[in-house]
Amino acid sequence: KRRIEQFVTTNRYTHHLTDEYTLFGKYNYSKSVSAQTDETLARFVEATAGIAYRPIYNDRLNLLSRYTYIADKDNLDRDVSYTNEESHIIEVEGIYSVNAKVDVGAKYAHKDKMEDFERASGSVARVESDIDLYGLSASYHIIKEWDVTGEYHWKTDTQNDELEHGALISVNKHLSDNFKVGVGYNFSGFDSNLANDDDYDAQGVFLNLVGKI
């Protein structure tokens, strides 16, 4: 019987540079080691750095950009087809309050992804793909603490040489000025969060958690 030791750390950081600019970041790390051989069986790294901008002269506008690095080494007998993954993700998003009831938004994200697949012969094949995500959204505030949000997004993946697109809708309750929770339905089959490993089965009901910096 194989014994595995695991080490996990999760870190968050936020720093208000000025009244308009906020730096934020996170660092998640986990490592699985064989207790018998001291061999590293799995290692996961997710590091994010970003900046949020809300100009004082126009508090209707919110802009956010961030970079995420993901490295996933997996030699465990799990249900994954790759042994190593490395990804670089860049995201830009903007939200504008048209009036007290209507917000509109747009976002773009790009992901450079490299995966190593082990063949039956034991050799390793590296597969590289470029993924682009575009999204347009609109929110309507029904009453003070509730809103309805709709989004249409497009996703291109060079690995599959295809374009996916679809809509999602959610109903959200504002628990505070900086946090809301809701439930929605994704009519498309893909995940709009490029940090996740998308297997194109995201269609259906989802829980929505949104925080503001």
Side-chain angles (χ1 to χ4, degrees):
K1 186 177 179 180
R2 183 167 58 177
R3 222 175 117 232
I4 298 175
E5 296 178 347
Q6 189 173 48
F7 309 90
V8 179
T9 180
T10 300
N11 305 275
R12 297 289 187 275
Y13 173 77
T14 302
H15 178 66
H16 296 280
L17 292 174
T18 67
D19 291 337
E20 295 184 326
Y21 290 95
T22 302
L23 284 177
F24 63 93
K26 72 175 181 180
Y27 181 77
N28 298 329
Y29 178 84
S30 66
K31 182 178 180 180
S32 298
V33 179
S34 170
Q36 286 85 12
T37 64
D38 204 30
E39 176 190 4
T40 299
L41 302 174
R43 183 175 63 247
F44 177 79
V45 176
E46 181 181 10
T48 297
I51 186 167
Y53 174 57
R54 187 173 187 177
I56 297 175
Y57 67 87
N58 185 2
D59 59 3
R60 292 184 176 186
L61 179 65
N62 287 274
L63 297 175
L64 181 146
S65 64
R66 63 186 166 196
Y67 165 78
T68 300
Y69 171 76
I70 296 175
D72 189 2
K73 176 185 177 182
D74 193 333
N75 291 329
L76 292 169
D77 297 326
R78 298 193 302 171
D79 187 23
V80 294
S81 56
Y82 60 86
T83 55
N84 292 303
E85 176 192 343
E86 186 176 21
S87 297
H88 302 270
I89 304 169
I90 297 174
E91 300 170 85
V92 179
E93 183 173 359
I95 298 175
Y96 184 78
S97 298
V98 179
N99 52 46
K101 286 188 172 292
V102 179
D103 294 340
V104 294
K107 67 179 179 181
Y108 169 74
H110 176 79
K111 181 177 184 178
D112 285 328
K113 183 178 181 181
M114 294 174 289
E115 292 177 296
D116 292 337
F117 294 87
E118 188 172 349
R119 297 190 176 102
S121 62
S123 61
V124 175
R126 169 157 288 193
V127 176
E128 299 184 12
S129 60
D130 292 324
I131 301 170
D132 290 290
L133 178 76
Y134 310 85
L136 295 174
S137 64
S139 296
Y140 181 77
H141 300 273
I142 306 171
I143 56 178
K144 183 179 179 181
E145 297 178 348
W146 291 88
D147 71 54
V148 176
T149 299
E151 180 180 331
Y152 203 90
H153 49 193
W154 299 259
K155 186 177 183 181
T156 60
D157 188 341
T158 58
Q159 181 176 340
N160 301 314
D161 192 24
E162 62 186 12
L163 168 66
E164 298 277 346
H165 59 94
L168 57 86
I169 188 169
S170 64
V171 178
N172 309 285
K173 178 177 173 57
H174 294 252
L175 301 180
S176 70
D177 292 338
N178 297 316
F179 184 73
K180 64 181 179 179
V181 60
V183 63
Y185 191 89
N186 187 354
F187 294 92
S188 61
F190 61 89
D191 191 340
S192 60
N193 185 357
L194 296 188
N196 296 335
D197 191 14
D198 198 350
D199 50 11
Y200 292 89
D201 66 348
Q203 183 174 357
V205 178
F206 65 89
L207 182 65
N208 199 29
L209 301 172
V210 180
K212 293 182 181 179
I213 297 174

